[in-house]
């Protein structure tokens, strides 16, 4: 049985790096002519491409190098914080006859944006061939030079012995790669995505039902259907923390959350299994809703907290399967998570409290059940009291804390507006009266003035409109409504004064001009 010198050197080098120096074989091509190796240290990660090529001349070598640099980007780095060192190794039977060193010494960047260079080496396998690079020098760069045999030692035995040794080295490395691939398949296919689809159908049915009965963007309808609304939770309707997880505000909100749940939920359910996924989803959703109650005054609904809990579960998976996590979904999960966190921080209306609460809740819930392929430890049950304590702290902060009493009662203003559209003026007035003493927001005075006007309490409406104008002298709507109040009270001169002021602030307003003409005619 004959074996080429090139094969001997290729698999001897691979075996030396993997078995004797801690490198991990991560991929081999079907023709067994290219092998990718990696190793992570405290400060660096090494990524090595090992290829068998046969070139009589160096023409075409540059293209191979550039292709390898691009291909290296498909292999996920273990950590974004560590410096990655790339080496591109070519094993040839004989070195090219021309000046190949000028090509291999050219700097090729694997990532032009980060300026990560890939260093290329060419090693000639046959004894007596044109000299290639010094393989011992290369190995010393990796601190892997000990016990490396010379070419004479590698080729000293007979063909049959060399062939057997090379075949054994190849089988050992390829089997390690196959074993890791099998592990990845087993991890990502532990369970089947059943409950995720049930959730999606349930959420869609609730949304359709709500749209048939009311309007999912209407605050009053959301509260009636069980959205998170802090004043009612304060009054004992704690179940809103759970029901709000299944409501959505408008089709776009439903679509985005359903899309996220489709991808994240199915992934988590496949990794953890259905029973664990149900626990993770529900705990994350409840913790997220409670965090929203603690830190956000606005009416809120949606599966966002539970969806961020799926992120938390995937982070827990990454802690337990670090290499597999970063080689597969890790970078994508982290990037998407960071984008969502930044977006939630920048955009005021995003319920970041629910998102962060769900993220923490999902991680802790995953920690209580553990990974299916890991031995369960009773100490994991110690996380359950931690979850309970977190819920108590969040609820207590929301109930007793002052951080949930905003100076700008946006929710109450919106709610009062919708109540007045239904001519529920007393309820609108009571809604604004509960927050008016704690704010200097002109829109709040304007809204309670409108509620008082609707109740035909013109004297009180006048005082609130005056407060609104005192806070914002350019508030032309308040000036116009004052004109209406004085007109109802028969005080035409003051009514004229304020409608003229409204027109100064908002010229060419047809409604204001009509009132001015009416008053002048009177």
């Amino acid at each position: 049985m004959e074996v080429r010198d090139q094969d001997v050197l290729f698999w001897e080098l691979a075996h030396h790096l993997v078995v004797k120096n801690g490198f991990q074989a991560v991929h081999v091509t079907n023709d067994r002519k290219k092998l990718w190796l990696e190793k992570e240290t405290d400060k660096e990660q090494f990524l090595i491409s090992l290829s068998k090529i046969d070139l009589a001349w160096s023409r075409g070598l540059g293209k191979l190098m550039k292709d390898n640099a691009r291909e290296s980007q498909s292999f996920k780095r273990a950590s974004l914080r560590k410096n990655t060192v790339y080496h591109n190794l070519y094993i040839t039977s004989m070195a090219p006859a021309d000046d190949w060193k000028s090509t291999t010494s050219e700097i090729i960047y694997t990532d032009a944006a980060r300026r990560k260079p890939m260093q290329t080496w060419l090693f000639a396998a046959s004894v007596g061939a044109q000299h290639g690079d010094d393989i011992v020098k290369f190995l010393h760069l990796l601190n892997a030079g000990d016990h490396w045999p010379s070419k004479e030692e590698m080729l000293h035995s007979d063909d049959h012995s060399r062939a057997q040794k090379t075949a054994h080295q190849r089988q050992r490395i390829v089997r390690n790669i196959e074993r890791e691939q099998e592990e990845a398949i087993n991890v990502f296919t532990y369970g089947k995505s059943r409950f995720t689809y049930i959730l999606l159908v349930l959420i869609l049915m609730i949304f359709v039902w709500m749209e048939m009965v009311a309007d999912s963007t209407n605050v009053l309808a959301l509260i009636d259907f069980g959205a998170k609304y802090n004043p009612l939770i304060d009054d004992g309707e704690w179940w809103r923390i759970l029901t709000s997880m299944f409501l959505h505000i408008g089709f776009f909100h439903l679509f985005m959350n359903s899309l996220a749940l489709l991808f994240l939920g199915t992934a988590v359910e496949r990794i953890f299994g259905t029973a664990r996924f149900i626990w993770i989803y529900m705990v994350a959703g409840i913790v997220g809703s409670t965090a929203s109650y603690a830190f956000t005054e606005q009416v809120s609904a949606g599966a966002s907290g539970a969806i961020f809990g799926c992120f938390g579960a995937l982070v827990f998976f990454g802690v337990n399967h670090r290499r597999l996590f970063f080689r597969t979904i890790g970078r994508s999960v982290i990037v998407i998570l960071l984008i969502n966190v930044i977006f939630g921080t920048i955009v005021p209306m995003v319920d970041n409290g629910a998102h962060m609460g769900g993220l923490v809740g999902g991680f802790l819930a995953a920690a209580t059940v553990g990974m299916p392929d890991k031995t369960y430890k009773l100490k994991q049950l110690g996380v359950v009291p931690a979850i309970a304590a977190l819920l108590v702290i969040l609820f207590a902060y929301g109930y007793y804390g002052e951080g949930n009493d905003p100076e700008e009662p946006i929710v109450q203003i919106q709610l009062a507006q919708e109540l007045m559209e239904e001519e529920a003026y007393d309820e609108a007035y009571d809604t604004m009266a509960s927050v008016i003493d704690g704010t200097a927001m002109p829109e709040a005075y304007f809204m309670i003035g409108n509620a008082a006007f609707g109740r035909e309490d013109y004297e009180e409406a006048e005082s609130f409109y005056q407060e609104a104008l005192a806070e914002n002298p350019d508030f032309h709507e308040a000036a116009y409504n004052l004109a209406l109040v004085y007109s109802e009270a028969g005080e035409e001169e003051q009514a004229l004064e304020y409608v003229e002021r409204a027109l100064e602030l908002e010229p060419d307003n047809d409604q204001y001009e009509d009132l001015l003409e009416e008053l002048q005619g009177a």
Side-chain angles (χ1 to χ4, degrees):
M1 182 187 297
E2 294 186 2
V3 60
R4 297 175 62 191
D5 296 347
Q6 183 187 32
D7 290 326
V8 173
L9 180 58
F10 182 90
W11 292 108
E12 185 71 43
L13 180 57
H15 185 267
H16 180 77
L17 291 173
V18 172
V19 176
K20 298 180 180 179
N21 290 279
F23 277 79
Q24 180 73 33
V26 294
H27 179 70
V28 64
T29 56
N30 291 333
D31 59 8
R32 306 295 191 253
K33 289 185 177 182
K34 180 182 283 189
L35 181 67
W36 287 89
L37 309 171
E38 68 177 10
K39 180 180 179 180
E40 185 180 357
T41 65
D42 292 338
K43 296 182 179 179
E44 293 178 314
Q45 184 196 16
F46 295 94
L47 185 61
I48 295 176
S49 167
L50 181 60
S51 306
K52 289 188 285 187
I53 62 170
D54 285 301
L55 294 173
W57 306 93
S58 61
R59 185 172 61 181
L61 184 58
K63 182 179 183 304
L64 289 175
M65 292 164 56
K66 291 177 181 178
D67 290 344
N68 247 21
R70 284 192 295 269
E71 190 178 348
S72 69
Q73 292 305 295
S74 64
F75 292 92
K76 311 298 184 185
R77 268 81 69 198
S79 174
L80 298 176
R81 297 174 300 166
K82 294 182 180 180
N83 180 46
T84 305
V85 180
Y86 299 89
H87 289 287
N88 182 21
L89 313 183
Y90 291 116
I91 308 296
T92 65
S93 296
M94 298 177 64
D98 58 352
D99 180 20
W100 53 270
K101 278 188 173 291
S102 61
T103 303
T104 58
S105 61
E106 181 183 352
I107 297 177
I108 301 294
Y109 291 102
T110 62
D111 186 342
R114 297 188 179 184
R115 307 292 286 176
K116 295 288 186 181
M118 173 177 273
Q119 188 171 356
T120 300
W121 304 76
L122 188 144
F123 306 123
S126 300
V127 176
Q130 298 101 310
H131 293 298
D133 285 319
D134 186 350
I135 196 168
V136 176
K137 177 181 177 182
F138 163 73
L139 290 172
H140 279 303
L141 289 177
L142 306 180
N143 295 319
D146 294 342
H147 310 297
W148 172 250
S150 66
K151 288 183 182 179
E152 291 78 5
E153 290 171 331
M154 278 185 280
L155 303 175
H156 177 71
S157 56
D158 59 87
D159 287 346
H160 180 74
S161 298
R162 289 202 302 272
Q164 281 190 323
K165 181 181 179 183
T166 300
H168 173 73
Q169 291 170 336
R170 179 177 64 247
Q171 289 170 2
R172 182 171 183 178
I173 291 171
V174 171
R175 182 55 191 149
N176 285 343
I177 296 174
E178 292 173 345
R179 190 180 298 113
E180 185 166 308
Q181 290 172 343
E182 290 170 3
E183 178 193 355
I185 292 172
N186 291 336
V187 167
F188 285 108
T189 58
Y190 173 78
K192 294 183 179 180
S193 304
R194 296 189 180 98
F195 187 69
T196 302
Y197 295 113
I198 294 174
L199 276 173
L200 287 168
V201 171
L202 178 62
I203 288 170
L204 178 60
M205 289 174 61
I206 292 173
F207 181 80
V208 171
W209 174 43
M210 187 174 179
E211 283 291 328
M212 291 174 64
V213 175
D215 180 0
S216 63
T217 61
N218 183 284
V219 175
L220 286 174
L222 284 166
I223 293 173
D224 288 341
F225 272 79
K228 189 226 74 176
Y229 181 48
N230 289 8
L232 292 182
I233 294 177
D234 291 342
D235 291 340
E237 297 184 8
W238 54 267
W239 45 265
R240 291 178 176 274
I241 287 174
L242 181 64
T243 56
S244 61
M245 294 165 51
F246 300 94
L247 301 175
H248 286 84
I249 307 171
F251 178 77
F252 183 74
H253 186 212
L254 171 75
F255 175 76
M256 295 304 295
N257 272 1
S258 298
L259 191 64
L261 180 57
L262 178 63
F263 287 101
L264 289 171
T266 52
V268 172
E269 191 171 3
R270 284 196 301 266
I271 293 170
F272 286 87
T274 299
R276 288 179 174 86
F277 173 67
I278 293 173
W279 167 255
I280 291 168
Y281 187 89
M282 297 305 295
V283 169
I286 292 170
V287 174
S289 294
T290 309
S292 175
Y293 166 72
F295 299 111
T296 308
E297 172 68 14
Q298 68 195 50
V299 174
S300 62
S304 302
I307 290 169
F308 267 76
C310 293
F311 276 118
L314 291 176
V315 172
F316 179 80
F317 158 64
V319 171
N320 285 271
H321 289 278
R322 192 163 176 269
R323 281 194 68 258
L324 181 59
F325 178 71
F326 281 102
R327 280 191 53 231
T328 52
I329 61 174
R331 291 184 69 195
S332 299
V333 168
I334 291 174
V335 169
I336 295 172
L337 180 58
L338 287 176
I339 290 173
N340 277 276
V341 171
I342 294 170
F343 181 78
T345 304
I346 295 174
V347 180
M349 297 305 292
V350 174
D351 194 346
N352 221 26
H355 293 179
M356 295 302 97
L359 179 68
V360 174
F363 183 90
L364 293 176
T368 63
V369 293
M371 297 299 301
D373 61 337
K374 301 285 186 179
T375 302
Y376 191 81
K377 299 178 181 178
L378 287 177
K379 66 180 182 181
Q380 292 173 226
L381 288 174
V383 183
V384 175
I387 295 173
L390 176 62
L391 287 171
V392 170
I393 291 170
L394 288 172
F395 194 89
Y397 181 80
Y399 190 82
Y400 296 105
E402 297 180 359
N404 215 0
D405 297 325
E407 295 182 1
E408 298 186 356
I410 304 296
V411 174
Q412 286 78 5
I413 291 173
Q414 185 179 3
L415 187 58
Q417 178 64 41
E418 292 184 2
L419 287 167
M420 283 189 289
E421 289 173 2
E422 298 180 3
E423 298 185 358
Y425 299 114
D426 290 337
E427 291 181 45
Y429 184 90
D430 292 342
T431 298
M432 293 308 303
S434 65
V435 295
I436 198 67
D437 290 337
T439 182
M441 189 179 181
E443 289 81 3
Y445 290 113
F446 178 74
M447 192 57 64
I448 195 172
N450 289 346
F453 189 91
R455 299 201 309 176
E456 299 183 359
D457 189 345
Y458 301 125
E459 184 176 344
E460 193 169 22
E462 175 196 357
S463 66
F464 285 125
Y465 290 142
Q466 291 288 7
E467 288 282 359
L469 278 173
E471 295 294 335
N472 180 9
D474 296 329
F475 201 160
H476 57 86
E477 295 92 343
Y480 172 76
N481 281 15
L482 265 173
L484 291 176
V485 168
Y486 288 128
S487 177
E488 289 288 340
E491 301 178 22
E492 283 79 7
E493 288 187 12
Q494 287 181 295
L496 274 169
E497 175 188 345
Y498 280 99
V499 75
E500 288 171 351
R501 179 173 174 179
L503 274 169
E504 287 177 7
L505 296 170
E506 183 73 6
D508 302 324
N509 186 302
D510 293 338
Q511 190 177 21
Y512 298 175
E513 288 177 351
D514 289 344
L515 180 60
L516 177 62
E517 291 176 6
E518 181 183 335
L519 290 171
Q520 288 175 335

